[in-house]
Amino acid sequence: MVWTWRLVKGTGGYLWLDTIEGDVPPYYREVYEAICCKQEDKVQGSVFHKLLNRTKLSSVTQNQIAELVESSKVEPLSKSALYKGLLLIALAQQGKQPSAKLLENIMQEYPKPQLGDVSELESLRMQARGNPILLSWTLQDLLHIDMVQVELIPEKKGLFLKHVEYEVSSQRFKSTVYRRYNDFVVFHEVLLQRFPYRMVPTLPPKRMLRADREFIESRRRALKRFVNLVARHPFFSKDEILQIFLCFNGPELLPPDIQAQFGASRELIRNIYNSFRKLRDRAERMAFRSAENASDLLLFGKELSTLGSDTTPVPSWASATSGMWGILKQTLKSLSVEFALLADKAARQGQREEEEVVEKLNIFLDLLQSYKDLCERHEKGVLHEHQRALQKYTSMKRQMMSVTVQSKEQITVEQLESRIMQQENTILTMELRNYFSLFCLHQETQLIHIYLHITSHVLTAFIDSQIQGHHEMSEVWKDLKPKLGGLLPNGMPSSP
């Protein structure tokens, strides 16, 4: 069978188009049926990597095939993407180098990849669907997630000290960034805060007196081990903070005036919260009035029915020769049905206002309240502890200058220097916690502003509920008026 390929260069690489199902060899379809997820009709990425491990190809070649096949690191593979992968596997097993150009003008029968019996491949899918509390990863799976290189670059001299920089390159993200040791420290602290119940690898020591080349090289190797363990962790590897660390090569993550911006934004959100709370209260009152209106209409109709059902005889001298009261009673009794319908429409109106307007306002208010709570935790917790640590450090520096202590026992300068160094480490930890807290607040503030668009949804729901409610009740009122006039002998009575 002959298969012709057409590839189009896109923003994410080459797009594989014009896949003809009928030209696919039976073995390709059998592999797809064996490993695809029936619910999604696609192949999970982890299953495809397990399939690659069965090819006996080198890890470099496997990574090249995975890169060509996977358009996304998250989304499952489509049927055509899997067929593309099977063809690349077969060609690579023939000794050809996997590349996009290799597929541009394939004019040959599809070779069969060497993957073993198809029945054995079903176990790959079953492993991926296994017990959710059990990890289905193999060591080979983890090693294939990424390979990160950490290399020293020439020392840069500052005004007083030299500092070491590292070139960090990710095979997975095809990125190269430059990081100092303190960047690793910040990244490590963020991981600890973000994943308190996961294994976060330790960092090598920050510094030591008279650090020589041997120490610097040892620390480089330790940093490489650290970042590779993180990059290959089943959960860390999916987190955006890893991609930021390995790919972001711009200015600081947070703007320099973040504290001022945070204060202004917090004041704005406080005002928004107060306004939305008032809107919610008014909407609740309107929904309550609609419910009360429904109750009043129902009682109004029942009273008309009671009046029309009255069997007390009318004295002949009272009604004279007119039978008007009897006709009116029939009219009033029949109107109770119409008022019951009006009550039902009013009740539905109140329910719509409650569910579609009040609830949308409440969900945004809940989010705003959680933001207020977060701001208070930041100020009373991290920020307060950071300020206390700075005050203590300032006091110790003053003590160092005077070489005196307030306690009765004198301490040596060496002891005081040791305490100051410990306090510096404490301040560094507080600064990292404060940085991470501000980083989270920065993102949460953006989330609030994204949710602000709910205002249009609330207004639309409010207007729609009013239009629908008034329209439904207007139709009932219109139907009721001619019925009243038709039941009276001389048509509708004139106004008294």
Side-chain angles (χ1 to χ4, degrees):
M1 293 185 183
V2 178
W3 220 0
T4 301
W5 304 95
R6 183 162 68 91
L7 290 104
V8 178
K9 190 77 176 291
T11 55
Y14 284 94
L15 306 178
W16 203 50
L17 304 176
D18 294 348
T19 301
I20 305 173
E21 177 73 17
D23 290 340
V24 179
Y27 182 76
Y28 281 59
R29 291 194 292 269
E30 291 172 5
V31 172
Y32 174 76
E33 292 297 328
I35 67 175
C36 78
C37 176
K38 304 303 180 183
Q39 291 82 1
E40 300 180 357
D41 199 26
K42 291 186 178 181
V43 176
Q44 297 296 324
S46 59
V47 175
F48 180 68
H49 282 277
K50 292 179 185 296
L51 185 71
L52 283 173
N53 291 337
R54 296 174 60 91
T55 63
K56 298 182 180 180
L57 296 170
S58 67
S59 59
V60 174
T61 302
Q62 291 182 36
N63 289 333
Q64 290 174 341
I65 294 174
E67 182 184 350
L68 289 167
V69 171
E70 294 176 319
S71 60
S72 170
K73 298 294 182 182
V74 179
E75 296 178 358
L77 274 65
S78 64
K79 183 185 296 185
S80 62
L82 175 67
Y83 292 162
K84 176 183 177 181
L86 294 177
L87 176 60
L88 287 169
I89 290 172
L91 295 174
Q93 289 175 334
Q94 293 178 358
K96 298 179 180 179
Q97 183 70 21
S99 67
K101 292 184 178 179
L102 186 62
L103 299 176
E104 289 183 0
N105 294 296
I106 294 293
M107 298 295 292
Q108 65 178 54
E109 291 188 0
Y110 269 34
K112 178 181 177 180
Q114 303 302 314
L115 301 172
D117 191 81
V118 174
S119 61
E120 297 177 356
L121 300 181
E122 294 183 359
S123 62
L124 302 180
R125 171 169 54 86
M126 299 306 294
Q127 291 173 12
R129 293 181 54 199
N131 192 327
I133 67 171
L134 299 178
L135 292 178
S136 60
W137 296 77
T138 65
L139 176 60
Q140 199 68 12
D141 293 335
L142 298 179
L143 296 179
H144 277 305
I145 293 177
D146 200 359
M147 168 60 74
V148 183
Q149 299 292 342
V150 179
E151 302 295 340
L152 281 169
I153 60 176
E155 294 179 342
K156 293 185 177 182
K157 295 183 178 181
L159 293 177
F160 302 102
L161 300 173
K162 295 179 180 180
H163 63 264
V164 177
E165 281 195 335
Y166 303 91
E167 183 182 80
V168 182
S169 303
S170 166
Q171 188 178 79
R172 172 189 174 189
F173 295 109
K174 298 294 180 289
S175 62
T176 299
V177 294
Y178 298 94
R179 299 285 183 249
R180 296 176 60 179
Y181 177 81
N182 284 343
D183 296 323
F184 284 89
V185 176
V186 171
F187 179 51
H188 181 264
E189 183 68 19
V190 169
L191 289 174
L192 288 174
Q193 296 289 336
R194 203 158 189 159
F195 300 97
Y197 303 109
R198 298 291 180 186
M199 297 187 301
V200 179
T202 58
L203 282 175
K206 179 182 180 181
R207 62 181 179 181
M208 62 180 295
L209 296 177
R210 298 177 182 177
D212 53 17
R213 291 184 178 180
E214 183 178 351
F215 167 76
I216 294 175
E217 173 59 22
S218 174
R219 189 170 68 175
R220 182 198 66 80
R221 292 194 299 266
L223 290 175
K224 180 180 178 180
R225 294 195 301 270
F226 162 78
V227 73
N228 272 285
L229 285 173
V230 172
R232 295 166 177 170
H233 192 283
F235 299 99
F236 300 161
S237 63
K238 299 176 183 178
D239 195 89
E240 64 176 353
I241 197 66
L242 172 67
Q243 186 172 357
I244 291 174
F245 181 78
L246 293 177
C247 300
F248 186 80
N249 206 7
E252 294 293 329
L253 295 181
L254 294 178
D257 58 341
I258 181 62
Q259 291 284 7
Q261 289 189 22
F262 166 62
S265 179
R266 185 180 182 185
E267 180 65 25
L268 171 63
I269 292 175
R270 183 185 292 113
N271 296 336
I272 292 173
Y273 175 83
N274 293 333
S275 295
F276 267 83
R277 186 177 58 185
K278 292 177 182 178
L279 288 173
R280 189 274 317 276
D281 293 343
R282 294 296 175 181
E284 282 184 336
R285 290 179 61 182
M286 294 177 68
F288 179 73
R289 285 200 300 270
S290 295
E292 282 193 326
N293 187 34
S295 178
D296 290 339
L297 286 168
L298 185 62
L299 292 175
F300 193 92
K302 286 182 178 180
E303 289 301 326
L304 291 177
S305 178
T306 300
L307 190 60
S309 301
D310 190 355
T311 58
T312 304
V314 180
S316 57
W317 59 265
S319 61
T321 59
S322 172
M324 177 64 71
W325 177 239
I327 297 174
L328 280 173
K329 286 203 301 182
Q330 293 179 7
T331 304
L332 297 176
K333 189 174 181 179
S334 67
L335 292 180
S336 64
V337 177
E338 306 296 338
F339 276 91
L341 184 58
L342 284 169
D344 178 65
K345 300 296 184 184
R348 291 184 182 181
Q349 167 75 5
Q351 186 176 4
R352 282 193 298 268
E353 291 170 345
E354 180 69 31
E355 294 178 354
E356 300 177 14
V357 180
V358 176
E359 277 305 299
K360 283 185 173 66
L361 290 168
N362 275 329
I363 192 171
F364 189 44
L365 282 171
D366 288 347
L367 185 69
L368 291 170
Q369 182 61 53
S370 65
Y371 181 83
K372 291 175 62 179
D373 295 341
L374 177 63
C375 292
E376 290 181 4
R377 292 199 302 272
H378 171 74
E379 289 188 341
K380 294 180 180 179
V382 177
L383 193 59
H384 181 65
E385 291 179 5
H386 185 209
Q387 291 173 345
R388 286 178 56 189
L390 287 174
Q391 290 173 356
K392 184 175 180 181
Y393 177 75
T394 302
S395 176
M396 294 176 69
K397 291 291 286 184
R398 290 174 180 171
Q399 184 179 353
M400 181 66 183
M401 293 177 65
S402 61
V403 198
T404 58
V405 292
Q406 296 181 0
S407 59
K408 295 181 179 179
E409 298 181 0
Q410 294 285 334
I411 61 175
T412 64
V413 174
E414 290 76 10
Q415 289 174 325
L416 193 54
E417 287 180 341
S418 175
R419 292 184 183 181
I420 290 176
M421 184 172 293
Q422 291 177 0
Q423 189 62 19
E424 287 177 347
N425 292 331
T426 301
I427 292 173
L428 176 61
T429 302
M430 290 295 101
E431 287 177 347
L432 293 173
R433 288 184 59 194
N434 184 53
Y435 184 90
F436 180 66
S437 179
L438 285 171
F439 174 79
C440 293
L441 274 168
H442 188 62
Q443 292 185 325
E444 297 300 311
T445 303
Q446 296 175 59
L447 182 62
I448 292 292
H449 284 272
I450 291 173
Y451 262 92
L452 270 174
H453 292 285
I454 202 173
T455 307
S456 61
H457 295 276
V458 171
L459 290 175
T460 300
F462 174 69
I463 293 171
D464 289 344
S465 67
Q466 295 300 315
I467 292 174
Q468 183 176 352
H470 288 297
H471 174 74
E472 291 177 353
M473 294 189 70
S474 175
E475 291 298 318
V476 178
W477 285 115
K478 289 177 181 178
D479 291 341
L480 188 150
K481 185 174 181 179
K483 290 180 181 179
L484 178 62
L487 290 172
L488 294 174
N490 297 320
M492 291 298 292
S494 59
S495 301

